[in-house]
């Protein structure tokens, strides 16, 4: 299973970016999908997650600014980021819990995409 992210880049504070992640490979089902981020010198943190039923959770500091969504047919997850702040600068990683052979669930990570917000 591979997760491939796209949509990162550099934007001025107050601007918007949309991240996308596509899962490919052989699997039975994708359960939860999520976006994490890691800023230099900091631990990786969960930004937002969306379950197989559509329930969402967000990091407190992004609530009201970021929206996570899924395209179940295309095995994709998106992160719409509005009103970006300098502190949102980080490498953003896609994560998925994937049911594979024998219905065992495995974690998968994307390679990461850089988001830089300039003030």
């Amino acid at each position: 299973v591979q997760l491939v992210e796209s949509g990162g880049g550099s934007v001025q504070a107050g601007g918007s970016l949309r991240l996308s992640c596509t899962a490919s490979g052989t699997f039975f089902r994708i359960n939860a999908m999520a976006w994490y981020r890691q800023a230099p010198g900091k631990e990786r943190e969960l930004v937002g997650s969306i379950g197989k039923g559509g329930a969402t959770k967000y990091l407190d500091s992004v609530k009201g600014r970021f929206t996570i969504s899924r395209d179940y047919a295309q095995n994709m997850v998106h992160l719409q980021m509005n009103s970006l702040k300098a502190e949102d600068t980080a490498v953003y990683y896609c994560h998925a819990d994937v049911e594979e052979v024998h219905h065992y669930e495995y974690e998968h990570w994307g390679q990461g995409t850089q988001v830089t917000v300039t003030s």
Side-chain angles (χ1 to χ4, degrees):
V1 176
Q2 277 193 315
L3 302 179
V4 178
E5 299 120 334
S6 61
S10 183
V11 65
Q12 287 192 328
S16 298
L17 283 174
R18 179 177 170 87
L19 305 183
S20 295
C21 171
T22 303
S24 62
T26 302
F27 51 84
F28 181 69
R29 177 171 53 208
I30 299 175
N31 293 326
M33 299 190 82
W35 288 94
Y36 286 74
R37 69 185 182 188
Q38 187 165 21
K42 295 188 177 181
E43 292 189 356
R44 191 172 295 191
E45 61 182 357
L46 176 65
V47 177
S49 66
I50 181 165
K52 59 184 178 183
T56 58
K57 293 181 181 179
Y58 293 96
L59 181 68
D60 282 347
S61 62
V62 308
K63 285 179 181 176
R65 300 188 297 122
F66 291 11
T67 302
I68 190 169
S69 61
R70 282 178 72 168
D71 181 334
Y72 292 86
Q74 300 295 323
N75 296 317
M76 296 183 71
V77 63
H78 307 285
L79 185 69
Q80 179 65 44
M81 304 185 293
N82 299 328
S83 302
L84 282 160
K85 304 176 181 179
E87 51 263 43
D88 295 319
T89 295
V91 178
Y92 283 70
Y93 296 91
C94 178
H95 176 274
D97 294 319
V98 183
E99 236 174 284
E100 298 180 38
V101 177
H102 305 304
H103 297 275
Y104 290 164
E105 187 176 270
Y106 297 90
E107 286 189 89
H108 293 276
W109 292 91
Q111 78 285 359
T113 185
Q114 177 70 45
V115 170
T116 302
V117 184
T118 57
S119 54

